[in-house]
Each structure stands twice: as C-alpha cells, then as structure tokens.
Amino acid sequence: MLALGLAQGTAVAEPAAPTAGDGSRTAAADDPYTAAFLTQYGKIKAAANGYFSPDGLPYHSVETLMVEAPDHGHQTTSEAVSFWMWLEAAYGRVTGDWAPFNAAWTVAEKTIIPQHADQPTSDAYNPSSPATYAPEHPLPSGYPSALDGSVAVGTDPLATELAASYGTMDIYGMHWLMDLDNTYGYGNKPGTGGESGPGAGASFINTYQRGAQESVWETVPQPTTDLFAYGGPNGYLDLFVGDASYAKQWKYTNAPDADARAVQAAYWAYRWASEQGKESQVAASVAKAAKMGDYLRYAMFDKYFKRVGDCTDPSSCPAASGRDSQHYLLSWYYAWGGAAAGSGGGWAWRIGDGASHQGYQNPLSAWALSNVPALTPKSATARSDWSRSLTRQLEFLTWLQSSEGAFAGGCTNSWEGSYSKPPAGTPTFYGMAYDWQPVYHDPASNNWFGFQAWGMERVAAYYYVTGNATAEAVLAKWVAWASGETTVGADGTFRFPSTLNWTGQPDTWDPASPGSNAGLHVSVVDYANDVGVGAAYVKTLTYYAAKSGDEDAAALAKALLDAMALNTTDKGISVPETRKDYNRFDDEVYIPSGWSGTMPNGDPVEPGSTFIGIRSWYRDDPDWPRVQAYLDGGDAPVFTYHRFWAQAALALAFAIYAELLVEGGGEPGGDTEAPTVPGGLTVTGTTADSVSLSWSAATDNVAVTGYDVYRNGVLAGNAATRTFTDTGLSAATEYRYAVAARDAGGNTSALSAAVTATTRTGGGTGTGAVKVQYKNTDSSTTDNQIRLGLQVLNTGSAPVDLSTVKVRYWFTADGGPSTFGTYCDYAALGSSTITHAVAAVPSPKAGADRCLEVGFAGGAGTLAAGASTGEIQLRINKSDWSNFDESDDYSRAANTAYADASKIGAYVAGALAWGVEP
C-alpha cells in the first residue's frame, strides 16, 4: 500500500540519497519508509511548493486563507519552527548532513527569538517586582482589565541566576507568532525594535489577550512593539489593560510546548550525530537548545509569582519568594515586556502562568535537560529544576488519566485568571484546581484529540529512551483506548477520534496513594482523518511498540502510515477539510464603547467591527469567493491544506518508523540487551530534607548512558553519574530507594536491591539545608595561585540568612610563608558582600593544613528556598608568590563546570550543613 501511495502526485526535486562520504553511519535509503521520508522532505523543501518565506521561516501553511490559532496561513508560529528543527535533525540522521539543522537554529536566532534591539530595556527589569497584577476576565467584554498595584506579587528567583549565566537580562525564547508577509502591515521587523509599517519582511505580531472565551474569531491583532502608530491614541494597549496613562512598549509571549520541542529536536540531533561521530558538528546548536531550556523554566512559575497551591483570593494569596511560586509543570505561556527604546523611563516586566495543560508536557525534554551533559543548561539550579519537573509531569499525567485511558485537561493556580475560589468539590493537584478546559474555552481546549496525540508522542519518546515504568503504565492504557477507537479500512480509509467529551473529575492527587479516577470518563463525539494528528499518533505507536514489543501497536502504526500515504499531493500528503466554522468571518469583535482606531491599511476598529471588517485584505485572497458563497447561503467550503507542522510530522513519522521498526527495532543488529543491575546502592548522607546516594557501575553490551532513581516505587530523578541527591523531602521520614541502569538503545535494567534512608529531624550538624557547588578555573596544579568558583544553594524550604553561612575549601600550603592573599574577582551578589580569608587547620590532615573560609556580609541578605548565590570567583596566593602543589589538596577537583562538591564544607550558624570534613 505504501508504494502505491507514494507513486501518486507530481514528482518534485529530492535531496540526494543518503551518503555520508566520510565513513560514518547513516540510514539505509533502500527501505520504503526512509524513501518516503526523503520524498516528503523534498516536497517540503522544494521552493516551488511555497512552504518557506523569503526570510527562510516556514509558513503556518502553504495556503493563505486559513483561520485557526494563527488567523492567516502565511503567519508562522514557534510551533512550526520547532517542527522544522526536528525535521532537519531527522534529515541529518538519514543523510549525515547537519548543515540544515544548524541553519534552522541560525534563522531562528535572527527572526523568531527576539534580539536585544527587540527587547531593548530588559536591563531595567527588577526581579523583586516582576509585574503589576491585572485580573483576567471570562469574556472579552470584561476588558480592558484595570491594573491593581494593591495585590502583592512575588519575587522572580530566576532572573539574577540567568543574567549571571549569560551576561544579559535579555530573554532567550521564541515569540509564538509572526506575520511573515507583513500582511497586517505593522512592520515589527526582527532586530529593529520598531514599526516600519507596510512592506516586505517578516513582522512580530500578537493576538489573544482577553480571557478564556476569546476565540481566534474575536481577537484584535496588535504589534509586539506598540509605538502608537496604529490603533488608537494609545495604540492597542487600552483594549487590554486599564491604566491611568500609557507608555510605548514591547511585549512577547512564549509557547512553552514549542520551545520544549526545539530542545527535543536538539536531543535527537545530538544523539544521531553522536552515533555518526559528528557530535561536534551540532554542538553549537545543541548549546543554544540548552540555553533555551534554561529560560523555559519561566513556564514553571505562577503568573505573578504567587504561592502555588490553595491560592483562592488575589489579596490573601501570598506573594512567594524563592521557589514557592514554582509548580514545575509546563504552563500555557510565559511573557515579558518593557518600555520602548527612547520612550523615556526604563522598566520591564515578566510573568509566568499558573494554568497547565496535559498536552503541553514534555518529559523527554525535561529528562534531556537534566541528564544529557551537552543539553545541561548553565544556570546552577536548572538541572535540578528539570529533574523535579520530570517527576512532576509524570505525576500530572497519572493524575489526569481517565478510566478509559485518555487524559483530562489540566490544572490552574489562578481560577478564571483572577485567583478566584473554584467551585466546591473541585479536586486539586498539589493545591492547584482541576480544570477540564484550561486556558481557552472556544473551542474547549482539551476536546481536540490532537492534544492527546501530541502529548503522548513525547511520553512515548521518553519511554523509548529510558524505559521508565510510569511512562509505560500510562502509555499502555492510552494506546489500548486510542487503538480501540481507530479504524483502518482495507481500501485505505482511516479514522480516529477528533472531538472528545469529558464527564466527572479526577481524584485529588495524593502522591503517596494515587487515586483510580473511577469517576473521570471520556467519550468520543466524532472522528476525523487529520494527517498531522495521525502522524503524531503513528509516532506514539512506533516509540511504544519499539520499546515494549507490542506487535499490535506496531501493526497499527504501519497501517495508519500506509493509509495516510495514499493521500499524496504534489505538495505533500493531505486530505480535504470542510470548514463550517468559516461562517464566523462575520463575527463581531468586541470593542469597548467610545474606543476607535484604525488598522495599518485603514480598516476602522470601533464598536460593531467584525473579524473580516478589520481584515478587509482577506477579500483579495484568490480563495475568498468560496467563503463568500458560503456566507451568502451556499455550502461550506472545502479546502485541502498543507500545514507545515503537519507535513513535517508526516515526514518524521516515516523516518521514525524506518529507524525503529524497519532498520533496528528487533531486527538483527538492533540493541535489545539491557544493562546489568547496578549494585552497591548506599546512602552516603542525609539532611532534614535530602538523601544522598551512590552505587557501583552497571555494564552493557554497548554502553550505559544513565541511571533512574526510584523513591518508594516512583521515579525521583535521573543521574548521568553514579551519585544522586534527592531533595525537597520531609524531615524525620523514612524513604526507600532503588536504581535502574539504561543504555542508548532505550533498554533498562531491573531495579537494584533497595535501601532505606531516614531524613534528619532538623537542628544540629548536617541539617542546614544548603549545599556547595564548585568548579576548577585553573587547570595547572603547580602555579602560584589557586583559582576556584563556588556557589551556595539553599536546598531547604525556608530562607537562609547568608550572614550565618560559612564555606571552607581545604588545601595545603606546601611550604613558604604563613600569610596569604585572597581575592573575590566576581560575585553575582556583589564582590563587596563576600568575605574571604585563609586560616590554619587546627589538626592538619593529609591534603588539608589550611582552609579558605568564605562568608557573607550583612548586605548579602537572605538566600530564598531553592535559590542560589550565583557564581563566586575566588583566588588565593602566598605572600611571596611561591608555587602551590594542588595535586593532593583535599577540596580540589578537576571539573570545569559547576557540580556538587562533597569535599567542601558549608556551615550554618556554626553547624556543618554540607560536605565531609577532612
């Protein structure tokens, strides 16, 4: 069936057959699914097919007359860009050519990732005052929403750390929406920070700012940099926010699922390039993905950095400090903005979001960002944040799984966007209220089966890579449900769910005893054959089958893939769609009484304006007569669309099926041998809220790539080395741990013998809830200075007064005078807040007759729970500048990136809180 499907349609230029030319391994070109990938890739990249703009970005669709999340086909989304990155990664695997993958990242940095000129006043951002509160309202008619400075907002714990890591206060993330043909005419061109008006060139734009009921048909588009050139006297700002006065400004919104998919693409690129011995060719792009993952953590925080959990009144819900505002899920968005350059007065703001959707979670990216060294972000707390996020995402999906197997919507920390009280009896997840349709309601956000397939594809990929038992359990149940609702006919017809209906609620989450969700149910309202959704569904089945050996899932993946291939066109693979929703072109767009303005083309914006009325240029589209005939009473128009994300997803489905179920999955030469079981699991330390573990190495026929650590039978985190510290625990509580090893083929060992550990009760030695990380900044062991970097992290749940903290680095004087010079070259907290001096060790030990004692002056303040001091760069020299011999120094290590340092002591109020003394 596949070959017949691919034989139809007009031939297009295709890339050369895969050949590395340098002896490295690339994919086989002679299997039909790799050939199908190359055919689909060739159609997407053929210039005549019109998938890419003159600036090199993928359009949302080839066709222009399209209204869905973007309101025009020649806009683009960060989602499309992330699919492009993944497509080019797959091309690199098949051909060994990594230039297109790197080019995608280069284009993204020049376009959809705002440059400094696009966010010119980021340096004015104050992490202690992230934004002014404005409540959301259920309907567009509730806007503009008045700013309310009387509602307390929390502090941002990421900004200082990120600035220290990257030397800038700019945000590194993709803005979600661009107008690639500048159809609206704002001319917010990347890299300019201005409005050049109508004309060629891509333009930043935004929509959706007026509550959950605002559909795409009710939006008022606006420029991201609003210089009051268009709209009304205050640009478009006073349609959304009520204020006493308005300032010209810039603002951007990030779609976290897209940035997470970009990280996911980089993980596959790194893995595949490494298999070819070409990891150096993608290293720079992979580092960009790691940086993006660092900033993506803003999606883990409540919108106004308020406390997460039981936040049911805007005034009484407390402003959070440290990590109390962090829910560790991927929320619907994060956003940032500030004063326009030259507008007078510097200011900037940042917000997260408390609403999280099941379809946005990405455990594979969370795992990669916390386990793959090439993807580990620079910031001190990023790895632990992503490790905790991985566990929280898996818990979230377990909590939302219905009796049948599909996943209900999500949760929110701010009911109706205004920290209101949810209806009585609403179940909660870590204190956040269940919402069956989080974020938007027209249409209901979790009624689309596509969010099921998108989300499960990521879970299945994570399961394939790690063999995680929790992922396997939720997948097995979901695959059984979805498969039972799927039909593939002998004639190549196919259908799977389209619209879902939800009844009941999940049980309130108890991590120690998850409920069965016996009262939460899903039913299928109607079915469809959307090829983009089908591609995600096939990828889910393929990953799951390749790891689990489920032959039925593998067969269904093949049947769906073959059936979709029958719908080939000259531009890709697509099926006709009847668009009954296009009767909404005449929908009224709410404009407040008394407001009036104009669009760049002169269309009036005023009470009574309609969707088409402020987009009159749609009437010039060559496909408009079909829509007009429908509006005049005719039949609903039928379109055959070529959405970029869907066409890329189809190509990827072919490539992944070829890789896992044709080339290697279970066939001779595929790696199916699991690593040996790790031995020697030992508890190496405890505090009031943490347990440290170590174990001996497992072995594998190829290579062990990491370890999974289970606490009380639930995944607690992952480790790339043979040590792990589990944090955020309860005091005086017993925990049971076991470890499994995994390899690059996705095989996982059985669990090790278990050990138990009991956290301390608090108070006394070892309970200070801080830890020290160290890096070596001087590779020489025999020069006249000792150079090191330190940072202190608060691993507890309460702030720590830094004036009570001392850090000791032990070394040997190696003869010479007894006096020393000490220097703090840099500190994120300010060098003036750091104290430092060398002291003699009362009872010298091997490798330690002196210690550098580092402290904090009163101006350093407190260290919030979960926060880091940031980097502290230090130097020591003898007064006569004679050489040291650091080779035997107790605290010295060779690592040049920050890592936990157990041979450096930290003391809180004089009691040892971290480390092992010599």
Side-chain angles (χ1 to χ4, degrees):
M1 184 182 295
L2 177 69
L4 291 174
L6 295 176
Q8 301 173 21
T10 303
V12 297
E14 296 181 12
T19 173
D22 59 2
S24 60
R25 186 179 68 82
T26 55
D30 54 357
D31 77 82
Y33 296 94
T34 298
F37 164 75
L38 289 169
T39 296
Q40 182 72 357
Y41 180 90
K43 290 181 178 182
I44 293 169
K45 297 300 288 285
N49 283 339
Y51 280 96
F52 287 84
S53 76
D55 293 295
L57 282 165
Y59 288 122
H60 177 64
S61 72
V62 171
E63 298 76 21
T64 53
L65 200 157
M66 173 182 284
V67 182
E68 35 200 45
D71 60 20
H72 186 253
H74 274 198
Q75 293 170 10
T76 199
T77 59
S78 54
E79 167 191 284
V81 173
S82 66
F83 272 102
W84 177 32
M85 293 170 172
W86 193 3
L87 176 71
E88 302 296 8
Y91 182 72
R93 185 192 78 84
V94 170
T95 67
D97 181 2
W98 293 100
F101 172 74
N102 293 324
W105 275 95
T106 298
V107 170
E109 284 195 315
K110 292 179 178 178
T111 54
I112 202 164
I113 299 174
Q115 300 166 53
H116 179 70
D118 304 313
Q119 44 182 326
T121 52
S122 288
D123 286 346
Y125 177 62
N126 179 4
S128 298
S129 181
T132 303
Y133 171 75
E136 297 175 24
H137 301 279
L139 302 175
S141 58
Y143 290 80
S145 181
L147 294 170
D148 186 351
S150 69
V151 175
V153 301
T155 59
D156 172 358
L158 295 184
T160 300
E161 180 181 84
L162 288 165
S165 296
Y166 300 103
T168 178
M169 287 294 279
D170 293 349
I171 292 286
Y172 189 83
M174 291 188 281
H175 175 63
W176 86 279
L177 186 64
M178 294 186 72
D179 182 5
L180 296 187
D181 291 347
N182 197 23
T183 302
Y184 278 105
Y186 297 122
N188 267 183
K189 295 181 180 180
T192 67
E195 291 177 300
S196 56
S203 172
F204 287 118
I205 62 169
N206 212 347
T207 57
Y208 294 109
Q209 280 193 228
R210 301 190 296 180
Q213 193 61 36
E214 183 186 39
S215 78
V216 66
W217 299 102
E218 300 166 289
T219 59
V220 180
Q222 76 261 200
T224 56
T225 299
D226 197 330
L227 301 180
F228 302 171
Y230 307 108
N234 300 308
Y236 295 86
L237 302 180
D238 50 353
L239 288 173
F240 313 115
V241 176
D243 200 358
S245 61
Y246 295 89
K248 298 173 182 179
Q249 58 189 268
W250 52 269
K251 54 192 185 298
Y252 300 97
T253 303
N254 178 275
D257 73 318
D259 281 32
R261 189 182 294 109
V263 172
Q264 180 182 340
Y267 165 73
W268 290 118
Y270 178 75
R271 174 169 169 158
W272 291 329
S274 297
E275 290 173 354
Q276 298 170 358
K278 296 181 176 182
E279 59 269 31
S280 63
Q281 294 186 19
V282 300
S285 297
V286 171
K288 294 172 185 178
K291 180 179 179 181
M292 184 174 284
D294 219 344
Y295 288 86
L296 182 56
R297 292 182 293 154
Y298 273 113
M300 299 180 185
F301 287 85
D302 174 73
K303 182 173 182 177
Y304 292 105
F305 297 93
K306 282 181 169 288
R307 181 193 67 194
V308 166
D310 306 313
C311 197
T312 57
D313 176 79
S315 297
S316 62
C317 179
S321 60
R323 302 309 178 100
D324 289 346
S325 61
Q326 193 168 8
H327 49 70
Y328 293 98
L329 299 171
L330 288 178
S331 60
W332 195 257
Y333 66 86
Y334 73 81
W336 71 108
S343 61
W347 49 269
W349 55 265
R350 297 179 189 179
I351 56 175
D353 185 24
S356 297
H357 194 290
Q358 63 84 15
Y360 263 34
Q361 306 313 303
N362 194 323
L364 178 65
S365 291
W367 172 83
L369 288 164
S370 57
N371 284 274
V372 178
L375 276 163
T376 302
K378 287 184 179 181
S379 294
T381 62
R383 185 176 182 274
S384 60
D385 277 350
W386 282 112
S387 180
R388 189 165 180 180
S389 176
L390 172 60
T391 301
R392 188 62 56 87
Q393 289 182 44
L394 294 173
E395 289 181 309
F396 187 54
L397 295 171
T398 302
W399 176 60
L400 291 171
Q401 191 159 33
S402 65
S403 295
E404 292 76 19
F407 295 89
C411 67
T412 181
N413 195 53
S414 179
W415 190 259
E416 292 190 334
S418 56
Y419 301 105
S420 299
K421 190 174 182 62
T426 299
T428 58
F429 178 77
Y430 287 101
M432 296 179 286
Y434 169 68
D435 190 346
W436 72 273
Q437 51 173 357
V439 187
Y440 66 82
H441 299 170
D442 183 13
S445 66
N446 201 48
N447 282 4
W448 181 50
F449 178 73
F451 272 137
Q452 301 284 318
W454 271 5
M456 286 304 95
E457 172 265 306
R458 300 164 189 149
V459 175
Y462 168 66
Y463 166 61
Y464 170 74
V465 170
T466 69
N468 177 265
T470 303
E472 180 181 25
V474 298
L475 271 168
K477 189 173 181 180
W478 186 88
V479 167
W481 166 75
S483 299
E485 298 286 354
T486 302
T487 303
V488 181
D491 59 352
T493 57
F494 62 97
R495 73 171 202 173
F496 38 74
S498 178
T499 307
L500 307 178
N501 183 62
W502 299 93
T503 57
Q505 301 181 123
D507 301 318
T508 287
W509 177 249
D510 179 356
S513 180
S516 64
N517 287 349
L520 176 62
H521 296 286
V522 65
S523 57
V524 179
V525 176
D526 55 35
Y527 297 83
N529 57 352
D530 182 299
V531 293
V533 174
Y537 187 11
V538 165
K539 287 185 283 180
T540 303
L541 294 168
T542 301
Y543 285 127
Y544 177 68
K547 183 64 179 176
S548 68
D550 188 319
E551 295 181 0
D552 291 337
L556 182 56
K558 183 179 189 304
L560 280 170
L561 202 51
D562 290 353
M564 288 190 292
L566 291 173
N567 295 279
T568 187
T569 72
D570 58 349
K571 292 180 171 64
I573 295 171
S574 188
V575 296
E577 303 173 30
T578 301
R579 294 301 299 256
K580 294 182 179 180
D581 61 323
Y582 282 3
N583 62 359
R584 300 189 65 176
F585 268 94
D586 284 330
D587 273 14
E588 182 174 338
V589 174
Y590 173 74
I591 304 297
S593 176
W595 199 99
S596 66
T598 58
M599 302 296 284
N601 70 340
D603 285 345
V605 186
E606 57 194 6
S609 289
T610 63
F611 178 91
I612 186 65
I614 62 174
R615 300 168 176 85
S616 63
W617 38 261
Y618 250 129
R619 299 184 188 278
D620 298 325
D621 193 285
D623 286 324
W624 178 255
R626 289 194 280 163
V627 177
Q628 187 63 58
Y630 179 41
L631 296 175
D632 292 340
D635 293 336
V638 178
F639 287 87
T640 301
Y641 284 125
H642 296 84
R643 298 172 180 85
F644 181 88
W645 75 265
Q647 299 303 310
L650 283 160
L652 288 161
F654 288 128
I656 292 166
Y657 184 87
E659 178 193 12
L660 303 187
L661 296 180
V662 177
E663 296 172 25
E667 297 291 330
D671 180 13
T672 59
E673 183 175 332
T676 61
V677 177
L681 180 60
T682 303
V683 178
T684 57
T686 60
T687 69
D689 66 351
S690 71
V691 171
S692 296
L693 305 164
S694 69
W695 55 90
S696 58
T699 60
D700 185 64
N701 64 314
V702 179
V704 173
T705 58
Y707 298 88
D708 299 325
V709 181
Y710 289 83
R711 178 205 321 122
N712 297 340
V714 177
L715 182 71
N718 313 99
T721 62
R722 292 181 288 109
T723 61
F724 180 79
T725 298
D726 191 20
T727 59
L729 306 177
S730 300
T733 303
E734 183 178 278
Y735 295 92
R736 186 176 179 85
Y737 292 91
V739 179
R742 55 185 145 69
D743 64 19
N747 304 299
T748 306
S749 75
L751 289 173
S752 69
V755 296
T756 59
T758 302
T759 51
R760 296 175 183 263
T761 57
T765 300
T767 61
V770 297
K771 69 176 181 179
V772 179
Q773 292 186 330
Y774 158 90
K775 73 175 181 181
N776 188 318
T777 58
D778 182 2
S779 60
S780 174
T781 60
T782 58
D783 58 13
N784 59 11
Q785 288 188 314
I786 297 174
R787 299 173 183 264
L788 63 146
L790 299 175
Q791 51 191 15
V792 179
L793 288 77
N794 182 353
T795 59
S797 57
V800 172
D801 183 348
L802 281 172
S803 68
T804 68
V805 176
K806 299 289 185 184
V807 177
R808 290 176 184 163
Y809 175 93
W810 289 283
F811 65 97
T812 54
D814 304 309
S818 60
T819 56
F820 298 82
T822 62
Y823 313 88
C824 179
D825 294 324
Y826 170 81
L829 295 174
S831 298
S832 62
T833 67
I834 308 300
T835 63
H836 39 88
V838 169
V841 174
S843 300
K845 308 285 195 309
D849 57 21
R850 300 287 193 281
C851 74
L852 171 67
E853 185 171 88
V854 181
F856 300 87
T862 60
L863 187 62
S868 167
T869 60
E871 185 167 26
I872 304 168
Q873 296 178 4
L874 299 154
R875 286 185 290 128
I876 311 166
N877 64 265
K878 302 176 193 179
S879 58
D880 68 352
W881 291 92
S882 59
N883 287 344
F884 291 96
D885 179 2
E886 299 179 60
S887 60
D888 62 345
D889 286 357
Y890 178 78
S891 294
R892 186 184 188 275
N895 53 287
T896 57
Y898 278 110
D900 293 355
S902 62
K903 290 187 175 183
I904 298 176
Y907 301 79
V908 178
L912 181 65
W914 167 265
V916 179
E917 294 176 331

